[in-house]
Amino acid sequence: MTKKVAFYARAASKTGEGSIEAQIERGKAVVADHGWALVASFTDVENNEALFKARPGIKLLCAYIEREQIDIVLCDVPLHVSDSRAHVARFLEELGSGGIELWSAAMAERVTLRNLPYADSGDQGKHATAPSSKNDHGIRRAGFGYKLSSAVDAAGRRIFGYRVVHPEQAEVIRRIFRMYAAGRSPRDIASALNAEGVKGPGGKPWREEAIYGNRARGTGIINNMLYVGMRQNEDKEFGGYVPALRIVSDELWHRVRQQQTNVRRRFSQSR
């Protein structure tokens, strides 16, 4: 039986990149890809001061769920449901009690407490950066696509681990995304970059594994959600949206997700 889907979108505007309109279009693509049926859509314009259940769109969605039979609530990312992990976790429980699943179009999977992105509105937007990782010697690394900045705080002290976008590497990342979305394999992409002398992460030659990584774990160039501004903590949970760290557009990100789905489908059919 075809699953019935209600879509929820929240954004600062109704048009443009990351807008409500764009979120709904991506949601429609996911619905079509799974053979589901979109029966309703609910939206809210960003309002951080409004309580979660006080938002008009969420109120309408909850009322709809109470009177209509649906199987899935679909959102672009859980952070659009709420900036608070606690709110989303409670919403998950409420949906689950009615046999309803929460899915994320960007994550391309069902949202559960295990993979639920963490978002604390208390630190949302405070810094245009994210913590950088460390290598085995404890020296901080910015990560491919970024560079450490010499930014200082109000007292003139350097902010260690503060990173900004590295222009040249960012263009390489966008190029990899475009090449993969156009149908080129990670191996072909790596070979092309190496032939041109383009350095990979750590200044090393490109390997296909560095490009495709693991989609479920968010590893590899094409799966790194920091490139669309989604910050992760050390436990690989999402800690908020940082626009200043965005490198890839939502449109290009979703083209790559669709290509991954196409590749996986072709592989399954060939077995």
Side-chain angles (χ1 to χ4, degrees):
M1 183 169 58
T2 302
K3 291 187 176 183
K4 296 181 179 180
V5 179
F7 189 81
Y8 177 74
R10 179 171 66 108
S13 64
K14 294 185 178 181
T15 60
E17 184 178 298
S19 66
I20 289 174
E21 188 176 276
Q23 290 178 44
I24 291 176
E25 288 305 309
R26 290 192 290 271
K28 288 179 178 178
V30 171
V31 168
D33 186 59
H34 285 80
W36 297 335
L38 182 63
V39 296
S41 295
F42 303 90
T43 65
D44 278 310
V45 174
E46 185 70 72
N47 183 351
N48 290 330
E49 296 182 358
L51 295 175
F52 172 53
K53 286 293 184 70
R55 294 194 213 114
I58 284 289
K59 290 173 68 175
L60 289 173
L61 171 61
C62 292
Y64 185 86
I65 290 173
E66 289 181 0
R67 70 174 187 272
E68 302 290 344
Q69 177 63 45
I70 69 165
D71 303 291
I72 294 171
V73 170
L74 178 65
C75 61
D76 201 31
V77 292
L79 286 172
H80 289 161
V81 174
S82 175
D83 294 328
S84 167
R85 185 183 193 278
H87 288 166
V88 181
R90 187 160 60 247
F91 190 51
L92 265 176
E93 293 178 0
E94 293 174 2
L95 292 177
S97 65
I100 301 171
E101 300 175 355
L102 177 65
W103 278 68
S104 162
M107 294 166 61
E109 63 182 347
R110 179 182 175 182
V111 179
T112 65
L113 290 176
R114 182 181 296 274
N115 67 359
L116 179 61
Y118 177 77
D120 184 350
S121 59
D123 68 2
Q124 188 86 329
K126 282 186 178 180
H127 304 290
T129 185
S132 59
S133 59
K134 293 182 180 180
N135 62 19
D136 294 337
H137 302 287
I139 301 173
R140 290 195 173 274
R141 299 177 300 182
F144 193 78
Y146 304 96
K147 60 182 178 181
L148 294 177
S149 169
S150 57
V152 296
D153 60 19
R157 297 179 297 243
R158 182 176 178 182
I159 304 174
F160 291 97
Y162 191 102
R163 54 182 165 176
V164 295
V165 172
H166 188 297
E168 292 78 16
Q169 293 181 359
E171 183 51 43
V172 174
I173 289 168
R174 284 189 286 267
R175 184 182 174 192
I176 289 173
F177 270 74
R178 290 193 295 266
M179 293 169 77
Y180 185 85
R184 298 184 67 171
S185 71
R187 177 177 297 180
D188 183 33
I189 295 171
S191 296
L193 294 175
N194 289 332
E196 296 175 17
V198 178
K199 295 182 179 180
K204 299 178 181 179
W206 283 98
R207 297 179 299 112
E208 58 180 308
E209 293 86 353
I211 294 173
Y212 68 75
N214 184 298
R215 182 174 180 177
R217 296 176 182 174
T219 61
I221 294 293
I222 62 174
N223 299 309
N224 189 345
M225 291 194 74
L226 186 58
Y227 294 150
V228 285
M230 300 299 292
R231 184 175 58 186
Q232 289 182 321
N233 61 23
E234 293 181 355
D235 296 321
K236 296 299 182 181
E237 294 179 323
F238 299 107
Y241 176 55
V242 189
L245 293 182
R246 176 187 282 274
I247 291 175
V248 175
S249 69
D250 286 341
E251 185 271 337
L252 184 53
W253 174 267
H254 286 282
R255 281 172 55 199
V256 166
R257 304 280 76 72
Q258 184 60 53
Q259 178 62 10
Q260 285 180 311
T261 299
N262 295 341
V263 170
R264 187 166 60 248
R265 182 183 295 119
R266 288 196 297 267
F267 177 75
S268 298
Q269 292 173 345
S270 65
R271 299 182 66 180

